[in-house]
Amino acid sequence: MAKKRRPQTKAAGPRVANGEIPVVGAREPCPCGSGRRYKACHGREAAHAVTELVQRPFEGLPGECDWVALRELVPAATVELTLAEGLPEGVPSVTLATVLPMAWPALRRDNGTVLLGLQNDTPSGDISRDLADTLRRALTAEPGTPVAAERAPGDGPRLQDLLDPKGTFSPTLHEGFEFWLEDAANATGEVAASLERANAAAIPTARLTGVEAAYWCETPEKNHLRWVMSHPEEKLLDALARLHAAGASSLGENTRLVGSFRAHGLTVPVWDLPRGMSAEDTEKPAVDLAERLAEALATDAPLTPEQRRARGGLTNRQVTLS
């Protein structure tokens, strides 16, 4: 017996010709008429295009390097944000937080203050646009409610549009996540359980004061310094290679430059430190290294064979986080 032919899938609707494909829900039929869901058709192309377009989502914001650090490195921190148009009526303050309870994108407290979470997954490749959309919705949310994740309009504002470009960005690091709540001591239920889990997983971290965007952290076996830098990647790697080849890339005895990673368009060199080397102990060596690095960055001479080998070693140990 001849097998039945499977009927051809009909187009979900009229095809869009010679125009932009509208944005619809991820599970809805794609407006192009392919019969596939949007997320598997033009939605995938749109997300890829945004990812390719926005390699440095925090570029142009005050404290770009610290934005990257708080997004990728720091467990518990807050920063008070300054809006370009001032605070709306009924909103006493807006605070950026590394994470919020139960991974809420944002929260408007009972007193009207807004907390914006930074480390959440975002639906597009433009973190800045996604965070700006969440912030706008949080500013008008009912007091005492969390703000859910939603797809941001493709033409919506970005953080660079909402925040004061002349504002400061001064992170405050915390040992735990008690900043989530106005009365953390009396937390109960899921919020209390989330707070306990988060505190147990937090790695002790400190921001150095003598240099910009350098973060010390303590781990069971060794400590680390992770330093977010905005220098062009190729030039920075050349400079670090010059120092490494000269034996001048460390932060002192028993410390070592072990490599770097890329995050949101910036390069983050990483040093291993002895277990007993505190953040305070790291301050002066970091300042001294910054001076040596500035000299190396100012050099345009071709790399020597030894420096090229050092650079190759650094490149081989480089990881991309985003």
Side-chain angles (χ1 to χ4, degrees), residues 275-312:
R275 182 67 176 80
M277 189 171 180
S278 67
E280 184 177 355
D281 296 333
T282 312
E283 288 280 5
K284 186 177 186 308
V287 171
D288 293 341
L289 178 61
E291 294 177 357
R292 298 196 299 273
L293 181 61
E295 294 179 3
L297 286 166
T299 302
D300 292 326
L303 296 181
T304 67
E306 185 179 5
Q307 291 168 347
R308 287 199 296 272
R309 286 193 294 271
R311 193 187 195 285

Side-chain angles (χ1 to χ4, degrees), residues 77-113:
T78 55
V79 185
E80 187 166 343
L81 300 178
T82 303
L83 303 187
E85 297 183 358
L87 293 169
E89 184 177 356
V91 180
S93 64
V94 175
T95 300
L96 181 74
T98 45
V99 290
L100 294 176
M102 292 177 282
W104 288 329
L107 168 67
R108 191 167 184 202
R109 286 177 167 164
D110 291 332
N111 64 2
T113 60

Side-chain angles (χ1 to χ4, degrees), residues 33-252:
S34 67
R36 291 182 293 172
R37 290 178 176 179
Y38 178 73
K39 70 175 183 179
C41 191
H42 280 83
R44 177 182 296 173
E45 295 177 11
H48 179 70
V50 170
T51 300
E52 290 297 316
L53 177 64
V54 187
Q55 298 180 16
R56 289 176 61 175
F58 306 117
E59 185 175 16
L61 291 172
E64 179 190 6
C65 293
D66 286 302
W67 277 92
V68 171
L70 267 57
R71 169 80 181 183
E72 299 296 340
L73 308 177
V74 181
T78 55
V79 185
E80 187 166 343
L81 300 178
T82 303
L83 303 187
E85 297 183 358
L87 293 169
E89 184 177 356
V91 180
S93 64
V94 175
T95 300
L96 181 74
T98 45
V99 290
L100 294 176
M102 292 177 282
W104 288 329
L107 168 67
R108 191 167 184 202
R109 286 177 167 164
D110 291 332
N111 64 2
T113 60
V114 168
L115 295 178
L116 176 67
L118 179 58
Q119 293 182 7
N120 298 76
D121 291 335
T122 54
S124 82
D126 188 351
I127 298 170
S128 178
R129 194 180 307 281
D130 293 333
L131 288 172
D133 179 70
T134 300
L135 175 57
R136 292 180 76 191
R137 291 186 288 113
L139 293 172
T140 57
E142 288 294 321
T145 60
V147 176
E150 290 185 7
R151 177 185 292 272
D155 58 352
R158 307 177 72 238
L159 287 174
Q160 289 82 346
D161 302 313
L162 300 185
L163 301 183
D164 185 351
K166 297 181 181 178
T168 60
F169 193 83
S170 303
T172 299
L173 273 62
H174 306 273
E175 293 183 0
F177 296 87
E178 283 73 17
F179 64 84
W180 282 350
L181 307 171
E182 295 176 83
D183 187 11
N186 294 320
T188 59
E190 290 185 0
V191 172
S194 183
L195 178 62
E196 183 177 354
R197 288 193 299 270
N199 282 347
I203 296 174
T205 304
R207 183 180 187 273
L208 300 192
T209 59
V211 294
E212 293 296 322
Y215 288 81
W216 169 97
C217 68
E218 179 182 34
T219 62
E221 295 184 358
K222 62 182 69 174
N223 298 343
H224 305 279
L225 183 71
R226 298 175 291 186
W227 194 340
V228 187
M229 299 182 177
S230 59
H231 310 292
E233 180 182 14
E234 296 302 316
K235 192 170 184 63
L236 176 58
L237 290 175
D238 282 353
L240 290 172
R242 295 179 198 278
L243 295 181
H244 202 63
S249 64
S250 77
L251 293 164

